[in-house]
Amino acid sequence: MPVISAPYAFNEGHLFVDLESTCGYPLYLKCEGFNFAGSIKLKAANEMVESAERDGILTSDSVLVESSSGNLGVALSMIAASKGYRFLCVTDSRCNLSTRLLMEALGSEVHVVADQDSNGGFLGMRIEYVRALCASDSRYVWLSQYTNAGNWRAHYRTTAPEIAAEFPELDVVFIGAGTTGTLMGCARWFQEWHRPVHVVAVDAVGSVAFGGEPGPRMIPGLGMSMRPPLLDESFVDEVVRVEEADTIRMCHRMARRGFLFGGSTGTVVSGAADWLARHDTRGLTAVAIAPDLGERYLDTVYQTNWLQDLYGAHVLDSIEVGIPAREPKPASRAPGRRRRR
């Protein structure tokens, strides 16, 4: 029986869901939401805070500040409360109300940015606000998840080895792309592993992380309105982009099977299902990463009026609850991961 004294000391890293009966293709989903922060962001938050403490950047007078669409803000709120730091989260109007309330319940201050940047997102304005804040007072310490190597190191040390321990014959892994911390940490680790693994990044349509035209995105978590500074595309084999309507449908499809996941997970699973539909899946071992659970999305992804206002009255018409396993389409197997460098 685990007994802990700090909330960040617990994080279940070896829980997987078999989604074949849900999406119709062989796919295992690594569930990262079973910790007191409720998401995979606890790993990056821990790594970045501990690194700042080791380097002497954080002191008892410091005020942590970070730009976040939600989950990292909650993780840092929890850690700050446990360690006795003040924390200010700079977010935007897409952040779920429940997430903002959760951060405030943990004692954090939340600032909501309303203005959009030139790409139609909020990230540029959030970062501009954080920079101005830090320039105004030396007590503010910005961990900068967008540039902090601790973001990807956390997943290099934990997430990728956890997958490999359970699936030693892994062929393909699907990883959502936001700051690309999870993507880069896992991709780097698997490049050094004993067998090739095909790394597929899953991004939201409208994100410019991998190039392309910017567009509106209403579901927080995945996607960026700028190129992620941490991203090194030489570690990525393929990119799949997912429309938000498909994210919504996959979230509801999983919920109809009893699995309530967040919007980022719906995007990753939808992208994985699309990729698997185009490849020969016989004998293929595939894993996708679920960043969080669905409770924080009850007023958005799972709220009928919100869905219909943004995506139309028929957005959920094509949900299939009982999906039989399909015969794989005739296509070549996923290409082996190329060894680089």
Side-chain angles (χ1 to χ4, degrees):
M1 177 182 69
V3 177
I4 62 172
S5 57
Y8 50 84
F10 171 76
N11 194 356
E12 173 56 61
H14 294 275
L15 178 63
F16 294 79
V17 174
D18 185 344
L19 286 181
E20 184 163 8
S21 64
T22 300
C23 68
Y25 302 100
L27 179 66
Y28 295 98
L29 186 64
K30 187 180 194 302
C31 301
E32 290 282 351
F34 291 95
N35 56 60
F36 285 99
S39 81
I40 196 171
K41 289 293 188 178
L42 177 60
K43 292 176 172 178
N46 261 333
E47 184 79 22
M48 292 189 295
V49 168
E50 290 178 358
S51 177
E53 289 174 333
R54 287 192 302 269
D55 294 341
I57 298 171
L58 278 175
T59 68
S60 58
D61 294 330
S62 297
V63 181
L64 281 168
V65 60
E66 185 56 82
S67 161
S68 170
S69 61
N71 282 337
L72 182 70
V74 172
L76 286 173
S77 294
M78 187 194 75
I79 293 172
S82 177
K83 290 176 175 281
Y85 296 117
R86 289 174 56 197
F87 173 58
L88 167 62
C89 180
V90 180
T91 187
D92 59 65
S93 56
R94 295 178 308 164
C95 180
N96 299 322
L97 175 61
S98 58
T99 300
R100 299 203 300 267
L101 294 175
L102 180 53
M103 288 188 279
E104 290 171 350
L106 289 165
S108 298
E109 183 182 350
V110 180
H111 177 83
V112 180
V113 170
D115 296 330
Q116 294 180 315
D117 56 32
S118 59
N119 281 330
F122 296 92
L123 180 57
M125 303 305 293
R126 282 173 15 200
I127 290 176
E128 184 177 313
Y129 183 88
V130 172
R131 284 177 174 156
L133 200 65
C134 292
S136 70
D137 192 330
S138 61
R139 291 175 300 172
Y140 285 103
V141 174
W142 181 24
L143 297 175
S144 184
Q145 62 167 324
Y146 312 105
T147 60
N148 194 320
N151 189 348
W152 68 261
R153 277 201 307 264
H155 304 287
Y156 182 93
R157 292 195 307 103
T158 61
T159 309
E162 288 165 358
I163 294 172
E166 303 297 334
F167 298 93
E169 299 303 314
L170 180 67
D171 295 300
V172 57
V173 60
F174 301 93
I175 307 170
T179 64
T180 67
T182 306
L183 175 64
M184 288 293 95
C186 291
R188 281 183 164 93
W189 194 92
F190 281 119
Q191 188 181 87
E192 299 169 5
W193 201 30
H194 73 278
R195 69 189 308 273
V197 173
H198 194 70
V199 175
V200 180
V202 183
D203 198 11
V205 169
S207 164
V208 299
F210 295 88
E213 291 297 317
R217 291 177 292 111
M218 299 305 300
I219 301 173
L222 297 187
M224 292 274 278
S225 56
M226 68 178 190
R227 181 179 173 84
L230 295 177
L231 176 61
D232 182 343
E233 291 188 60
S234 69
F235 289 96
V236 179
D237 292 298
E238 200 170 341
V239 179
V240 173
R241 291 178 172 84
V242 176
E243 296 276 1
E244 284 195 337
D246 292 326
T247 291
I248 296 295
R249 283 188 280 267
M250 184 57 74
C251 283
H252 282 258
R253 181 183 295 178
M254 290 187 289
R256 300 288 174 86
R257 305 290 298 214
F259 294 108
L260 195 73
F261 285 106
S264 296
T265 300
T267 301
V268 173
V269 174
S270 179
D274 175 69
W275 188 95
L276 292 167
R278 294 182 281 106
H279 292 80
D280 183 351
T281 61
R282 288 170 293 190
L284 190 76
T285 300
V287 171
I289 298 176
D292 62 1
L293 302 177
E295 290 90 342
R296 295 174 192 170
Y297 300 82
L298 294 178
D299 57 347
T300 55
V301 170
Y302 296 102
Q303 212 283 326
T304 302
N305 290 338
W306 187 88
L307 291 178
Q308 292 181 350
D309 288 346
L310 290 174
Y311 305 103
H314 302 290
V315 65
L316 299 180
D317 286 356
S318 62
I319 293 177
E320 303 172 61
V321 178
I323 304 175
R326 299 168 184 152
E327 287 298 318
K329 294 183 178 181
S332 59
R333 282 289 304 276
R337 181 161 176 76
R338 298 184 301 278
R339 295 292 175 184
R340 305 181 181 91
R341 299 183 181 178

